[in-house]
Amino acid sequence: MRLDHFVTLTNELSAIPSTKAARVADTVREMIRDGRLIAGDPLPSTRALAAELGVARGTVVTAYEQLDGEGYIETRHGRASRVAVSLVGEREPGHAEVRAPQEQRGASRVSLVPGLPRISAISTKEWRAAWRWAASRPLLDAFPDRLGEEALRVQIARQLGFSRGFAPAVGDVIVTTGTSDSISVLVEAMGAGCRVAVETPGYRSGQKAAVSAGATLVPIGVDDEGLLLDELVAGHRRARIDVVMVTPSHQYPLGGVMPLATRQRLLAWAAAEDVLVVEDDYDSEFRHTGAPLPALAAIDSAGVVAHIGSFSKMLNPQLRTGYLVTPPHGVVADRLRAVRDARGAAVAVPVQDAVARLLATGAVRRHIARMRRDYAHKRELVQRMLSGIRGVHVGALAGGLHAVVTWDGAANGAGSGPDLVTRLEAQGVEVAALEDYAVDGAHPAADGIVLGYGHVSATALGAALEVIVRELRGPGAP
């Protein structure tokens, strides 16, 4: 296991002022950079290295998890950890050039477009086991359940009870292909021409799905705490609003968290005015600061909330699997089930079986726990590198997989959001302009960009952030 490479590690660690786990990670990282370890080399087991260094095994586990998240090593359950084979370059005596996986594909391009989790990080063993189990299921001479396979709906209900504080009845859970499909089903259930209040800036794909299904959008502004409730109430007085779509746990994209008092006011108003509240709970599993507030559905005593989510952020968007939790009773719940029944089953049964297995075995919860640590490390990197630039503000970092960078145009040379996006693209860095998330001219977005950090290695992220920092500082800045 090449433990001989680590004979001098104890002395090296003592010279580095940091936590024990960080010292282990720093030293292994340096051994990769200077060529003592090369791509494909096996690493000692966490137990063996911990015994050699005289530290707790958990210390080495933490260090390996950080290095795995950065793209330096590859860890897989039941197999030896190895130096990532994607770390390639021209090696001179005593030196190895290290390039991150995203930097290999031709033109050293790094995509920081938001919306992607780190898909490849899930345990290969658990992923394959789930699909083998799904493939072993008996073939039935029957049509699939139009609401979704019961086994998956049971697991979704249990997961929500574990992670979001409410456990819906299995009959209230409908399997969809994701957030846009859920929104489309909701609008169809409410009737063509229904007026839907949406946040601006907000989730444009979901808003487009609502329009495609026949809704009329009513843009409502947001602040640091999410949806402006007073503006919503005033808009309803002018012309009735049938549905309000909100992202209360992590407003998309600005990141505001709706306070508990505002959540309670929203639910009381919606109950009094017979308005359906659609809660898009898109990345609540990844909270980086403070305890998460309860889901709206968890405090909904009047039955006015439809809760939607998907496995895109927590697992893999390629699964095209999500869920819609209807209000526990009433006409809206009946209409939603009728729409899904009329459309038929949305997700292939083997996919539902595999996702149900991943949930039932705890693989999803273990994956989420690993990713929380990985995303938290990258989030700290974003915050550290982009903080302190004159006139620049970094937001949306309380949770999730993206950050929003805004600036005062008079304070630096960044220019407009689209201008910065264009300049970054020319240097191989892809981000999104904040103004692309605005719904109408009445609520213009600030100059800014939205960048995703979940799916890239920390090394590639750091290189991209260096380019962004230079552009934000402007010409001639130090």
Side-chain angles (χ1 to χ4, degrees):
M1 301 296 289
R2 297 183 67 104
L3 191 59
D4 55 300
H5 279 308
F6 294 84
V7 170
T8 61
L9 186 54
T10 305
N11 291 333
E12 294 184 38
L13 291 179
S14 64
I16 304 174
S18 183
T19 66
K20 290 182 179 179
R23 290 184 225 164
V24 174
D26 287 342
T27 307
V28 174
R29 193 184 297 111
E30 186 60 32
M31 294 171 74
I32 294 172
R33 286 173 172 165
D34 67 19
R36 283 178 284 171
L37 291 172
I38 62 174
D41 274 353
L43 300 176
S45 70
T46 54
R47 195 178 306 279
L49 185 55
E52 173 70 22
L53 301 177
V55 299
R57 179 169 174 258
T59 297
V60 180
V61 170
T62 300
Y64 276 17
E65 286 175 346
Q66 178 170 325
L67 291 165
D68 183 53
E70 294 175 0
Y72 282 98
I73 70 173
E74 296 170 346
T75 61
R76 290 293 181 266
H77 181 72
R79 294 191 301 174
S81 298
R82 294 179 178 272
V83 178
V85 295
S86 54
L87 298 176
V88 299
E90 294 299 323
R91 184 185 177 198
E92 300 173 358
H95 175 75
E97 178 188 353
V98 175
R99 288 181 285 176
Q102 289 83 4
E103 297 169 332
Q104 298 170 43
R105 296 191 273 272
S108 297
R109 305 193 67 79
V110 180
S111 174
L112 300 185
V113 173
L116 277 176
R118 188 172 166 228
I119 299 168
S120 61
I122 190 167
S123 164
T124 303
K125 180 180 179 181
E126 292 181 319
W127 176 259
R128 291 176 176 170
W131 287 99
R132 284 195 300 270
W133 186 86
S136 71
R137 302 282 288 158
L139 299 175
L140 302 177
D141 295 322
F143 289 108
D145 190 323
R146 292 172 181 247
L147 297 182
E149 295 302 294
E150 184 175 8
L152 176 56
R153 292 189 287 132
V154 166
Q155 291 303 324
I156 289 171
R158 288 177 178 171
Q159 176 68 19
L160 289 171
F162 175 80
S163 64
R164 299 304 292 130
F166 77 105
V170 174
D172 294 337
V173 179
I174 298 174
V175 175
T176 70
T177 62
T179 300
S180 292
D181 182 37
S182 295
I183 291 172
S184 178
V185 169
L186 282 158
V187 170
E188 185 174 337
M190 297 302 293
C194 67
R195 289 169 54 80
V196 179
V198 296
E199 300 167 333
T200 180
Y203 179 50
R204 294 295 285 144
S205 294
Q207 293 163 4
K208 290 175 182 177
V211 171
S212 178
T216 298
L217 299 187
V218 181
I220 305 295
V222 300
D223 61 11
D224 291 341
E225 296 183 340
L227 183 84
L228 293 172
L229 184 54
D230 290 342
E231 186 177 327
L232 173 67
V233 172
H236 181 69
R237 290 197 189 106
R238 290 191 296 270
R240 174 173 174 78
I241 290 172
D242 303 293
V243 180
V244 53
M245 296 198 308
V246 292
T247 50
S249 295
H250 190 223
Q251 197 279 327
Y252 191 80
L254 297 183
V257 178
M258 185 180 288
L260 181 59
T262 306
R263 295 176 186 227
Q264 293 170 330
R265 284 181 55 211
L266 171 62
L267 295 178
W269 172 83
E273 299 296 329
D274 194 25
V275 174
L276 178 67
V277 179
V278 178
E279 177 182 27
D280 181 359
D281 204 42
Y282 69 100
D283 67 3
S284 61
E285 297 83 11
F286 304 113
R287 181 80 182 166
H288 305 313
T289 60
L293 289 172
L296 286 178
I299 59 174
D300 174 27
S301 60
V304 297
V305 173
H307 181 96
I308 60 178
S310 81
F311 295 96
S312 291
K313 298 294 188 300
M314 75 169 80
L315 197 56
N316 188 339
Q318 297 172 12
L319 292 169
R320 304 306 301 148
T321 305
Y323 51 88
L324 161 61
V325 180
T326 73
H329 51 74
V331 174
V332 171
D334 293 339
R335 287 178 180 172
L336 288 169
R337 282 189 283 268
V339 170
R340 180 79 281 166
D341 184 70
R343 290 186 176 199
V347 181
V349 171
V351 175
Q352 294 187 57
D353 286 343
V355 175
R357 187 66 174 177
L358 288 166
L359 287 165
T361 60
V364 171
R365 287 197 290 273
R366 288 189 290 272
H367 175 67
I368 289 172
R370 288 192 298 269
M371 290 302 93
R372 280 196 187 116
R373 294 188 288 269
D374 180 38
Y375 297 151
H377 172 72
K378 293 172 187 173
R379 175 245 188 204
E380 291 168 4
L381 179 61
V382 171
Q383 189 171 46
R384 183 172 69 251
M385 292 190 66
L386 297 182
S387 295
I389 304 174
R390 184 167 57 94
V392 172
H393 172 73
V394 185
L397 288 173
L401 316 179
H402 75 275
V404 174
V405 184
T406 57
W407 55 85
D408 177 1
N412 60 30
S416 70
D419 287 344
L420 179 57
V421 169
T422 300
R423 297 200 308 274
L424 292 174
E425 169 71 19
Q427 299 179 68
V429 177
E430 295 180 80
V431 297
L434 180 57
E435 75 171 40
D436 291 342
Y437 295 82
V439 178
D440 66 347
H443 300 83
D447 285 327
I449 58 173
V450 184
L451 61 92
Y453 56 81
H455 58 289
V456 294
S457 71
T459 49
L461 176 61
L465 290 173
E466 288 178 358
V467 177
I468 294 172
V469 168
R470 287 199 303 268
E471 290 297 328
L472 286 173
R473 291 189 186 279

